PDB file of all heavy atoms in Angstrom:
ATOM      1  N   VAL A 274       2.461  -4.302 -10.005  1.00  0.00           N
ATOM      2  CA  VAL A 274       1.392  -4.245  -9.041  1.00  0.00           C
ATOM      3  C   VAL A 274       1.493  -3.014  -8.125  1.00  0.00           C
ATOM      4  O   VAL A 274       0.497  -2.437  -7.716  1.00  0.00           O
ATOM      5  CB  VAL A 274       1.370  -5.555  -8.188  1.00  0.00           C
ATOM      6  CG1 VAL A 274       0.314  -5.513  -7.071  1.00  0.00           C
ATOM      7  CG2 VAL A 274       1.113  -6.764  -9.065  1.00  0.00           C
ATOM      8  N   GLY A 275       2.735  -2.586  -7.822  1.00  0.00           N
ATOM      9  CA  GLY A 275       2.951  -1.474  -6.878  1.00  0.00           C
ATOM     10  C   GLY A 275       2.214  -0.209  -7.244  1.00  0.00           C
ATOM     11  O   GLY A 275       1.344   0.287  -6.524  1.00  0.00           O
ATOM     12  N   PRO A 276       2.514   0.401  -8.418  1.00  0.00           N
ATOM     13  CA  PRO A 276       1.804   1.623  -8.794  1.00  0.00           C
ATOM     14  C   PRO A 276       0.288   1.444  -8.981  1.00  0.00           C
ATOM     15  O   PRO A 276      -0.485   2.323  -8.651  1.00  0.00           O
ATOM     16  CB  PRO A 276       2.470   2.030 -10.130  1.00  0.00           C
ATOM     17  CG  PRO A 276       3.343   0.925 -10.558  1.00  0.00           C
ATOM     18  CD  PRO A 276       3.590   0.062  -9.371  1.00  0.00           C
ATOM     19  N   MET A 277      -0.086   0.235  -9.435  1.00  0.00           N
ATOM     20  CA  MET A 277      -1.522  -0.020  -9.624  1.00  0.00           C
ATOM     21  C   MET A 277      -2.230  -0.066  -8.262  1.00  0.00           C
ATOM     22  O   MET A 277      -3.410   0.386  -8.145  1.00  0.00           O
ATOM     23  CB  MET A 277      -1.679  -1.376 -10.356  1.00  0.00           C
ATOM     24  CG  MET A 277      -2.985  -1.573 -11.048  1.00  0.00           C
ATOM     25  SD  MET A 277      -3.237  -0.400 -12.365  1.00  0.00           S
ATOM     26  CE  MET A 277      -4.821   0.243 -11.911  1.00  0.00           C
ATOM     27  N   THR A 278      -1.551  -0.553  -7.232  1.00  0.00           N
ATOM     28  CA  THR A 278      -2.151  -0.588  -5.900  1.00  0.00           C
ATOM     29  C   THR A 278      -2.468   0.821  -5.402  1.00  0.00           C
ATOM     30  O   THR A 278      -3.547   1.093  -4.841  1.00  0.00           O
ATOM     31  CB  THR A 278      -1.160  -1.261  -4.902  1.00  0.00           C
ATOM     32  OG1 THR A 278      -1.019  -2.633  -5.259  1.00  0.00           O
ATOM     33  CG2 THR A 278      -1.652  -1.197  -3.467  1.00  0.00           C
ATOM     34  N   ILE A 279      -1.543   1.745  -5.652  1.00  0.00           N
ATOM     35  CA  ILE A 279      -1.762   3.118  -5.230  1.00  0.00           C
ATOM     36  C   ILE A 279      -2.924   3.768  -6.016  1.00  0.00           C
ATOM     37  O   ILE A 279      -3.751   4.484  -5.467  1.00  0.00           O
ATOM     38  CB  ILE A 279      -0.456   3.952  -5.374  1.00  0.00           C
ATOM     39  CG1 ILE A 279       0.626   3.353  -4.428  1.00  0.00           C
ATOM     40  CG2 ILE A 279      -0.690   5.429  -5.040  1.00  0.00           C
ATOM     41  CD1 ILE A 279       1.959   4.068  -4.450  1.00  0.00           C
ATOM     42  N   ALA A 280      -2.967   3.462  -7.291  1.00  0.00           N
ATOM     43  CA  ALA A 280      -4.094   3.969  -8.113  1.00  0.00           C
ATOM     44  C   ALA A 280      -5.444   3.450  -7.577  1.00  0.00           C
ATOM     45  O   ALA A 280      -6.444   4.173  -7.516  1.00  0.00           O
ATOM     46  CB  ALA A 280      -3.900   3.582  -9.572  1.00  0.00           C
ATOM     47  N   MET A 281      -5.448   2.184  -7.111  1.00  0.00           N
ATOM     48  CA  MET A 281      -6.674   1.631  -6.565  1.00  0.00           C
ATOM     49  C   MET A 281      -7.091   2.308  -5.254  1.00  0.00           C
ATOM     50  O   MET A 281      -8.255   2.403  -4.918  1.00  0.00           O
ATOM     51  CB  MET A 281      -6.500   0.102  -6.325  1.00  0.00           C
ATOM     52  CG  MET A 281      -6.636  -0.685  -7.600  1.00  0.00           C
ATOM     53  SD  MET A 281      -8.284  -0.375  -8.316  1.00  0.00           S
ATOM     54  CE  MET A 281      -8.105  -1.265  -9.842  1.00  0.00           C
ATOM     55  N   LEU A 282      -6.051   2.774  -4.517  1.00  0.00           N
ATOM     56  CA  LEU A 282      -6.369   3.504  -3.285  1.00  0.00           C
ATOM     57  C   LEU A 282      -7.135   4.788  -3.647  1.00  0.00           C
ATOM     58  O   LEU A 282      -8.096   5.171  -2.940  1.00  0.00           O
ATOM     59  CB  LEU A 282      -5.083   3.817  -2.548  1.00  0.00           C
ATOM     60  CG  LEU A 282      -5.164   4.707  -1.328  1.00  0.00           C
ATOM     61  CD1 LEU A 282      -5.955   4.008  -0.204  1.00  0.00           C
ATOM     62  CD2 LEU A 282      -3.793   5.099  -0.810  1.00  0.00           C
ATOM     63  N   MET A 283      -6.718   5.409  -4.706  1.00  0.00           N
ATOM     64  CA  MET A 283      -7.405   6.664  -5.118  1.00  0.00           C
ATOM     65  C   MET A 283      -8.823   6.355  -5.614  1.00  0.00           C
ATOM     66  O   MET A 283      -9.769   7.085  -5.339  1.00  0.00           O
ATOM     67  CB  MET A 283      -6.596   7.397  -6.208  1.00  0.00           C
ATOM     68  CG  MET A 283      -5.204   7.769  -5.751  1.00  0.00           C
ATOM     69  SD  MET A 283      -5.235   8.667  -4.166  1.00  0.00           S
ATOM     70  CE  MET A 283      -3.719   8.054  -3.399  1.00  0.00           C
ATOM     71  N   TYR A 284      -8.912   5.252  -6.325  1.00  0.00           N
ATOM     72  CA  TYR A 284     -10.230   4.823  -6.833  1.00  0.00           C
ATOM     73  C   TYR A 284     -11.173   4.536  -5.645  1.00  0.00           C
ATOM     74  O   TYR A 284     -12.339   4.950  -5.625  1.00  0.00           O
ATOM     75  CB  TYR A 284     -10.033   3.581  -7.702  1.00  0.00           C
ATOM     76  CG  TYR A 284     -11.256   2.926  -8.175  1.00  0.00           C
ATOM     77  CD1 TYR A 284     -12.032   3.473  -9.198  1.00  0.00           C
ATOM     78  CD2 TYR A 284     -11.703   1.709  -7.610  1.00  0.00           C
ATOM     79  CE1 TYR A 284     -13.185   2.823  -9.628  1.00  0.00           C
ATOM     80  CE2 TYR A 284     -12.848   1.089  -8.035  1.00  0.00           C
ATOM     81  CZ  TYR A 284     -13.566   1.645  -9.041  1.00  0.00           C
ATOM     82  OH  TYR A 284     -14.710   1.021  -9.456  1.00  0.00           O
ATOM     83  N   ASN A 285     -10.645   3.819  -4.641  1.00  0.00           N
ATOM     84  CA  ASN A 285     -11.459   3.511  -3.440  1.00  0.00           C
ATOM     85  C   ASN A 285     -11.870   4.807  -2.710  1.00  0.00           C
ATOM     86  O   ASN A 285     -12.971   4.902  -2.196  1.00  0.00           O
ATOM     87  CB  ASN A 285     -10.688   2.609  -2.482  1.00  0.00           C
ATOM     88  CG  ASN A 285     -10.925   1.108  -2.780  1.00  0.00           C
ATOM     89  OD1 ASN A 285     -11.765   0.777  -3.631  1.00  0.00           O
ATOM     90  ND2 ASN A 285     -10.201   0.248  -2.108  1.00  0.00           N
ATOM     91  N   THR A 286     -10.935   5.765  -2.691  1.00  0.00           N
ATOM     92  CA  THR A 286     -11.284   7.034  -1.995  1.00  0.00           C
ATOM     93  C   THR A 286     -12.360   7.775  -2.754  1.00  0.00           C
ATOM     94  O   THR A 286     -13.294   8.332  -2.129  1.00  0.00           O
ATOM     95  CB  THR A 286      -9.999   7.927  -1.885  1.00  0.00           C
ATOM     96  OG1 THR A 286      -8.985   7.160  -1.259  1.00  0.00           O
ATOM     97  CG2 THR A 286     -10.277   9.172  -1.061  1.00  0.00           C
ATOM     98  N   LEU A 287     -12.300   7.754  -4.051  1.00  0.00           N
ATOM     99  CA  LEU A 287     -13.366   8.361  -4.853  1.00  0.00           C
ATOM    100  C   LEU A 287     -14.696   7.677  -4.561  1.00  0.00           C
ATOM    101  O   LEU A 287     -15.743   8.329  -4.343  1.00  0.00           O
ATOM    102  CB  LEU A 287     -13.017   8.233  -6.356  1.00  0.00           C
ATOM    103  CG  LEU A 287     -14.132   8.577  -7.346  1.00  0.00           C
ATOM    104  CD1 LEU A 287     -14.467  10.063  -7.314  1.00  0.00           C
ATOM    105  CD2 LEU A 287     -13.709   8.196  -8.769  1.00  0.00           C
ATOM    106  N   ARG A 288     -14.674   6.350  -4.520  1.00  0.00           N
ATOM    107  CA  ARG A 288     -15.921   5.573  -4.239  1.00  0.00           C
ATOM    108  C   ARG A 288     -16.451   5.921  -2.862  1.00  0.00           C
ATOM    109  O   ARG A 288     -17.676   6.118  -2.686  1.00  0.00           O
ATOM    110  CB  ARG A 288     -15.642   4.081  -4.314  1.00  0.00           C
ATOM    111  CG  ARG A 288     -15.440   3.610  -5.724  1.00  0.00           C
ATOM    112  CD  ARG A 288     -15.438   2.079  -5.758  1.00  0.00           C
ATOM    113  NE  ARG A 288     -16.689   1.517  -5.302  1.00  0.00           N
ATOM    114  CZ  ARG A 288     -16.837   0.272  -4.882  1.00  0.00           C
ATOM    115  NH1 ARG A 288     -15.815  -0.537  -4.829  1.00  0.00           N
ATOM    116  NH2 ARG A 288     -17.988  -0.159  -4.502  1.00  0.00           N
TER     117      ARG A 288
END
Side-chain angles (χ1 to χ4, degrees):
V274 176
M277 201 64 233
T278 293
I279 296 180
M281 281 301 174
L282 174 65
M283 301 308 146
Y284 173 75
N285 270 354
T286 306
L287 169 67
R288 286 190 62 200

